[in-house]
Amino acid sequence: MPPKHVGEELRELVKQVRDGTFEYKYRDKSKINWAKYDSAQIKEMANYLNDLRDIVDEADNRIKSRTIPEKRGPGKPETNPADIAKMLLLQTYTDSPNRVAEGLLLLFQEKLGISQHFSYKTIERGYDREKVNKIMDEVVAITNECVENEEKTCSFDGTGFSASNKENYAAKRQKQNSSKSQKKSQSPGDEQCHDSFPNLEKALGDGIYSARWITDIVSKSNVIPYFLPKSNVTFQSKGFGGWYDMLLSLWNDPQGWLEQYHMRSISETVNSMVKCRFGGTLRKRLDPRKATETKLKLVAHDIRRIGYIEILNGIKLAK
């Protein structure tokens, strides 16, 4: 344990940060190439359509290459899930209802490489298709590949999308109670996620993450935690690794530590970007479809940003 005065100095430091009296050193502003940014905005939709087509096709091919083909049963062949995924992402980009999306299919079918025309009901049912959701997950993995060697810092922040312009308390409470009963009756399943940050070095989060057990999980993953502690913080780790080291690094170099910590505001910026561009009210009524619609907004944001970084940063999408 460090001397008593170190703990007092740390608590005073955290208090200054939280009440806004801490004196930061000036940091140079990053430069923006406005000519390239203008070009990226002008070409945004064209790049989005091209990247959407190529990425979804690549995702579909990867899934097919590692999946045993299913024996076809009787009846009409299913609509290609990759084609449906393309339309859902185009629908999300244009913020269109299902019937308008079918009209967009007539306009962009050849551009997106969609093999056949299908009705708005097929688009609607696409929000329930498991194969479509698998393609979305693969798209997320592909969009991360072009920057996986560049992303070494991860920041956490929560947000959500409005499901209605009017909230009804009784209906909301009924849904919460229904969800609780379902959780009690269902056994938890295995969750799978893509390793989007293979070279992760730092994890940033606000005060809600400054718990000893969270820093322990992060530290055991060989990642340095930057979670701003509470004003009454102590150095006592209580058996959780990483807690003492995080606090000591904050006390030793507050300017450097806080410079890294405040990068977490970028996650808030991303949430703001998504809501400004794809922040319309969720149209779907069923919870599984709402989840798919929310995922589509985030995937569409990733594909849209790919077009920007290709021009601004010269990072090419691996195809």
Side-chain angles (χ1 to χ4, degrees):
M1 289 291 294
K4 183 178 179 180
H5 72 89
V6 175
E8 294 174 351
E9 291 175 4
L10 176 64
R11 286 187 285 274
E12 180 61 26
L13 171 63
V14 174
K15 183 180 178 181
Q16 291 177 3
V17 173
R18 289 191 172 277
D19 61 22
T21 59
F22 182 81
E23 295 184 3
Y24 292 93
K25 290 183 179 179
Y26 177 78
R27 186 172 64 183
D28 295 335
K29 292 184 178 180
S30 58
K31 296 182 179 180
I32 300 176
N33 188 323
W34 291 108
K36 288 185 177 181
Y37 186 78
D38 289 343
S39 176
Q41 284 200 312
I42 292 169
K43 300 176 181 178
E44 178 187 310
M45 187 170 187
N47 289 339
Y48 181 85
L49 295 175
N50 290 332
D51 291 335
L52 163 60
R53 178 194 61 224
D54 296 341
I55 294 173
V56 172
D57 285 342
E58 176 64 20
D60 186 43
N61 291 333
R62 291 187 184 186
I63 293 174
K64 288 179 179 178
S65 67
R66 61 174 183 256
T67 304
I68 300 176
E70 297 179 357
K71 185 178 180 181
R72 182 189 159 189
K76 181 181 177 181
E78 69 171 358
T79 305
N80 186 354
D83 290 346
I84 298 176
K86 292 175 183 177
M87 277 311 305
L88 295 185
L89 287 167
L90 177 60
Q91 181 185 25
T92 302
Y93 183 82
T94 57
D95 192 23
S96 305
N98 295 331
R99 290 175 176 82
V100 176
E102 183 181 350
L104 293 174
L105 175 58
L106 295 172
L107 183 61
F108 293 104
Q109 179 175 346
E110 184 177 355
K111 176 69 174 178
L112 294 178
I114 296 177
S115 57
Q116 65 182 100
H117 182 84
F118 42 85
S119 72
Y120 73 91
K121 295 300 291 184
T122 301
I123 297 174
E124 177 184 321
R125 289 189 291 267
Y127 286 85
D128 291 325
R129 293 278 297 274
E130 181 182 355
K131 292 182 179 179
V132 173
N133 275 288
K134 286 183 178 179
I135 290 176
M136 294 301 164
D137 292 336
E138 193 68 31
V139 167
V140 173
I142 293 173
T143 55
N144 274 290
E145 287 176 0
C146 63
V147 293
E148 64 181 5
N149 294 324
E150 307 293 331
E151 293 185 327
K152 299 182 179 180
T153 302
C154 177
S155 175
F156 313 127
D157 191 47
T159 187
F161 294 95
S162 174
S164 172
N165 291 327
K166 178 182 178 182
E167 291 291 341
N168 184 284
Y169 176 80
K172 193 173 182 180
R173 177 59 64 188
Q174 183 179 7
K175 184 175 292 186
Q176 288 177 347
N177 293 334
S178 175
S179 299
K180 289 180 181 178
S181 62
Q182 288 178 3
K183 289 180 180 178
K184 291 179 181 179
S185 62
Q186 294 176 355
S187 59
D190 294 331
E191 296 182 357
Q192 297 180 348
C193 64
H194 294 287
D195 187 7
S196 300
F197 302 97
N199 301 314
L200 188 62
E201 297 177 355
K202 304 168 187 174
L204 321 178
D206 55 18
I208 197 172
Y209 298 101
S210 61
R212 290 174 175 84
W213 66 272
I214 296 179
T215 59
D216 183 55
I217 294 174
V218 174
S219 299
K220 287 181 178 178
S221 302
N222 296 320
V223 177
I224 303 174
Y226 288 85
F227 306 141
L228 186 65
K230 298 179 181 179
S231 301
N232 61 348
V233 63
T234 67
F235 277 95
Q236 295 178 357
S237 61
K238 299 182 180 180
F240 292 100
W243 179 256
Y244 178 88
D245 293 336
M246 183 184 75
L247 298 182
L248 189 62
S249 63
L250 170 58
W251 178 78
N252 281 329
D253 183 15
Q255 292 288 349
W257 195 94
L258 291 169
E259 181 179 358
Q260 295 294 329
Y261 166 75
H262 284 299
M263 292 294 289
R264 59 167 291 276
S265 62
I266 294 178
S267 61
E268 297 176 355
T269 302
V270 172
N271 288 338
S272 177
M273 290 170 60
V274 175
K275 286 193 172 185
C276 286
R277 182 58 183 81
F278 304 103
T281 301
L282 297 178
R283 299 176 185 272
K284 305 307 172 187
R285 297 293 184 89
L286 302 178
D287 286 345
R289 294 186 178 184
K290 286 182 180 179
T292 301
E293 188 176 2
T294 301
K295 181 189 292 186
L296 283 165
K297 291 175 182 288
L298 302 176
V299 174
H301 168 76
D302 285 350
I303 297 176
R304 177 172 175 258
R305 293 306 301 169
I306 288 292
Y308 276 80
I309 66 174
E310 286 177 335
I311 296 176
L312 294 174
N313 304 101
I315 299 176
K316 296 297 182 181
L317 183 65
K319 299 177 182 179

